[in-house]
């Protein structure tokens, strides 16, 4: 699905003039919230005023809190994210910041390559949401500042809602004496999402905050196949429509996220990598053996997902009620890694925090002259005391007949799973609260 970049370039050229003329028609055309009239947000305050605050207590008692803000380039950014499960007397800080750091789109025939976030002001494409797109929730009004302008327009563009996700757990308990008892709970998520249009693409940027402390970060691509793009005559495409001639050109979506952790209020977390190796069954053993080895990542590193490999970010200060350091584990999703560029060759990058390093490629973070422009060049052996985490998830899009019209959403993303954040399952029923650790 090639993007119509020529028309987009023309749109960008006209933005300043349109802003001066009062570009508000998009906001007026948008539908209202699903349950309440959206309120226009005042200018963002440093302390996260009520208009920029999200707080949701889910049905099982878990509360998520965070601040949101919008940038013309990055789009929606979530900050100061805290998690408070039942049984915790105060919120547990998880992330200082979470945002999209790039959407890199190279085409299979080498004819085009785009950085949709930094080259085309991704955030400026924020779309109005219809009420049906935010079922049971609230659509908030976002002030979108036009690029290179002080003018703003109101967009009903941020949805916050809740959604059931199915079983959180199920256990049939059969005591030594007495009858059986079934323990089961249906899980709930807080969803925060927005839609940004980049010519033919419409990207859904979504965060899911689960009642068990898990965070899911996803980007979904939908919209339309570009009608002028049925020209993959060299075999680098797929026939769409009647006959074999019209071939939609294949391409990749390489999506980057930037995460700055603040576990327990400290940015000085440490990174650990875990690898497990299975050894064939030896004589006398009942089965093959499996050994897990931990490696502390103390210097800037680029890493790749492998079978039985994972990473976690460990709190520098906080422990759970069992005395174990709190941490969050990176859980990889499906990934079609694109090896054509240095910054796309690895799945994760751990770099020392630098205020000017904001985007994984074609960085527009106001770095000094001569500073490298991509995340792979920032990995230079510096000691990690305040790590930034960059996650790269690729999707190779070979179009199909079912992609028209409109194109179904294809998702890519990953998760952050709590590891020892609480001493037990945060959704444990009260009658099982004593079943912590070894059961005698």
């Amino acid at each position: 699905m090639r993007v119509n970049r020529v028309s987009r370039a023309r749109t960008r050229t006209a933005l300043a003039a349109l802003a001066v003329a009062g570009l508000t028609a998009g906001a007026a055309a948008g539908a209202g919230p699903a349950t309440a009239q959206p309120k226009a947000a005042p200018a963002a305050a440093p302390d996260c005023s009520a208009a920029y605050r999200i707080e949701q207590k889910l049905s099982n008692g878990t509360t998520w809190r965070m601040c949101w803000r919008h940038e013309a380039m990055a789009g929606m950014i979530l900050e100061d994210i805290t998690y408070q499960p039942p049984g915790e007397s105060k919120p547990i800080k998880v992330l200082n910041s979470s945002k999209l750091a790039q959407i890199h789109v190279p085409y299979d025939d080498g004819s085009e390559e785009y950085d949709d976030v930094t080259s085309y002001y991704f955030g400026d494409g924020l779309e109005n949401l219809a009420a049906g797109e935010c079922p049971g929730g609230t659509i908030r009004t976002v002030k979108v500042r036009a690029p290179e302008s002080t003018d703003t327009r109101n967009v009903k563009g941020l949805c916050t809602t809740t959604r059931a996700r199915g079983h959180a757990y199920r256990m049939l308990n059969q005591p030594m004496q007495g009858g059986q008892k079934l323990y089961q709970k249906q899980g709930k998520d807080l969803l925060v999402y927005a839609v940004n249009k980049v010519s033919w693409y419409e990207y859904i940027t979504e965060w899911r905050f689960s009642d068990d402390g898990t965070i899911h970060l996803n980007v979904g691509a939908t919209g339309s196949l570009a009608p002028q793009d049925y020209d993959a005559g060299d075999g680098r495409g797929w026939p769409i429509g009647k006959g074999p001639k019209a071939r939609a050109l294949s391409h990749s979506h390489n999506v980057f996220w930037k995460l700055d952790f603040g576990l327990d209020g400290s940015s000085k977390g440490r990174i650990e990598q875990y690898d497990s190796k299975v050894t064939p069954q030896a004589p006398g053993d009942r089965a093959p053996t499996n050994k897990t080895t931990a490696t502390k990542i103390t210097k800037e590193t680029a890493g790749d997902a492998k079978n039985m490999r994972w990473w976690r970010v460990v709190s520098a200060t906080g422990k759970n009620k069992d005395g174990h350091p709190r941490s969050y584990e990176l859980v990889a999703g499906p990934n079609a890694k694109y090896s054509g560029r240095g910054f796309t060759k690895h799945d994760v990058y751990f770099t020392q925090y630098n205020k000017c390093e904001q985007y994984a490629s074609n960085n527009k973070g106001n770095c000094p002259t001569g500073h490298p422009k991509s995340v792979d060049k920032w990995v230079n052996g510096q000691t990690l005391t305040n790590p930034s985490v960059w996650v790269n998830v690729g999707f190779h899009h070979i179009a199909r007949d079912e992609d028209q019209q409109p194109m179904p959403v294809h998702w890519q993303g990953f998760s952050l799973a709590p590891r020892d954040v609480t001493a037990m399952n945060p959704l444990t029923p009260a009658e099982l609260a004593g079943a912590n650790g070894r059961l005698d």
Side-chain angles (χ1 to χ4, degrees):
M1 183 174 59
R2 183 174 299 181
V3 176
N4 185 347
R5 307 288 166 163
V6 176
S7 66
R8 180 167 20 155
R10 288 200 299 267
T11 301
R12 284 282 313 283
T13 304
L15 277 174
L18 287 171
V20 172
L23 181 57
T24 58
T35 58
Q37 186 68 24
K39 298 177 180 179
D47 61 349
C48 182
S49 62
Y52 291 88
R53 188 177 302 121
I54 297 171
E55 180 172 336
Q56 180 67 56
K57 186 172 185 178
L58 298 169
S59 56
N60 67 8
T62 292
T63 300
W64 285 96
R65 299 176 178 89
M66 65 203 70
C67 299
W68 67 270
R69 64 184 177 90
H70 182 269
E71 287 186 353
M73 190 172 293
M76 209 59 63
I77 301 173
L78 300 185
E79 298 177 322
D80 297 326
I81 300 170
T82 68
Y83 157 60
Q84 187 174 5
E88 293 291 333
S89 60
K90 60 182 181 179
I92 299 167
K93 181 75 171 289
V94 180
L95 287 163
N96 291 329
S97 177
S98 170
K99 73 171 189 177
L100 277 184
Q102 193 55 272
I103 301 177
H104 171 248
V105 186
Y107 285 82
D108 283 17
D109 65 355
S111 63
E112 306 285 358
E113 181 180 21
Y114 304 107
D115 292 321
D116 277 352
V117 170
T118 54
S119 294
Y120 296 97
Y121 284 93
F122 178 83
D124 188 61
L126 185 68
E127 291 283 280
N128 287 286
L129 297 174
E133 298 182 83
C134 190
T138 299
I139 298 175
R140 298 176 184 232
T141 296
V142 181
K143 284 189 177 296
V144 177
R145 182 177 62 82
E148 304 168 0
S149 171
T150 58
D151 295 284
T152 63
R153 67 186 190 277
N154 289 334
V155 179
K156 298 171 183 176
L158 178 62
C159 172
T160 57
T161 189
T162 60
R163 190 174 299 172
R165 69 171 186 279
H167 275 87
Y169 61 73
R170 187 186 192 278
M171 183 181 76
L172 184 62
N173 191 23
Q174 189 166 355
M176 296 286 292
Q177 296 178 346
Q180 296 178 338
K181 182 169 183 178
L182 174 64
Y183 295 95
Q184 73 85 24
K185 185 176 285 291
Q186 298 297 299
K188 278 288 187 75
D189 293 344
L190 162 66
L191 272 69
V192 181
Y193 55 90
V195 177
N196 293 74
K197 186 173 179 59
V198 183
S199 193
W200 299 103
Y201 291 110
E202 299 200 22
Y203 291 108
I204 305 171
T205 307
E206 175 191 86
W207 291 263
R208 289 178 179 246
F209 300 93
S210 296
D211 49 18
D212 63 1
T214 305
I215 304 173
H216 306 276
L217 300 93
N218 298 294
V219 166
T222 182
S224 175
L225 291 173
Q228 76 275 18
D229 192 36
Y230 296 88
D231 59 356
D234 61 357
R236 292 184 173 90
W238 198 267
I240 301 295
K242 295 184 181 299
K245 293 184 179 180
R247 291 178 173 267
L249 184 60
S250 302
H251 57 279
S252 292
H253 303 251
N254 304 309
V255 180
F256 288 82
W257 289 261
K258 182 177 188 288
L259 305 171
D260 290 308
F261 281 82
L263 281 168
D264 296 294
S266 174
S267 301
K268 298 181 179 180
R270 68 178 186 271
I271 309 296
E272 295 178 351
Q273 176 178 304
Y274 290 81
D275 291 277
S276 298
K277 183 178 180 180
V278 176
T279 302
Q281 184 174 349
D285 288 343
R286 298 180 61 185
T289 60
N290 192 350
K291 183 177 181 180
T292 301
T293 303
T295 303
K296 292 184 178 180
I297 307 297
T298 59
K299 296 184 181 297
E300 294 178 319
T301 302
D304 294 295
K306 293 184 179 180
N307 185 43
M308 293 191 178
R309 168 176 288 177
W310 51 277
W311 299 269
R312 70 168 182 160
V313 181
V314 186
S315 173
T317 59
K319 295 182 178 181
N320 67 18
K321 293 176 182 177
D322 281 345
H324 302 148
R326 292 191 174 113
S327 70
Y328 261 82
E329 175 182 341
L330 273 67
V331 181
N335 191 358
K337 186 158 50 180
Y338 174 84
S339 60
R341 293 295 183 189
F343 56 86
T344 61
K345 288 183 178 179
H346 299 287
D347 300 315
V348 295
Y349 297 87
F350 304 107
T351 65
Q352 177 67 4
Y353 176 81
N354 185 327
K355 185 178 180 179
C356 82
E357 295 173 354
Q358 293 294 322
Y359 301 96
S361 66
N362 191 21
N363 180 51
K364 300 290 180 65
N366 296 320
C367 287
T369 301
H371 195 87
K373 293 290 188 180
S374 59
V375 66
D376 55 312
K377 304 292 179 58
W378 302 333
V379 177
N380 57 15
Q382 189 174 356
T383 300
L384 288 177
T385 58
N386 181 358
S388 290
V389 179
W390 308 76
V391 181
N392 168 31
V393 181
F395 177 84
H396 187 213
H397 188 190
I398 300 177
R400 54 186 180 145
D401 276 339
E402 289 86 352
D403 280 344
Q404 52 184 7
Q405 183 74 273
M407 183 176 66
V409 182
H410 54 80
W411 292 97
Q412 55 202 105
F414 66 102
S415 300
L416 300 172
R419 177 170 286 274
D420 305 337
V421 172
T422 54
M424 294 181 68
N425 183 340
L427 309 183
T428 296
E431 56 267 40
L432 296 179
N436 181 18
R438 191 170 188 171
L439 301 179
D440 297 323

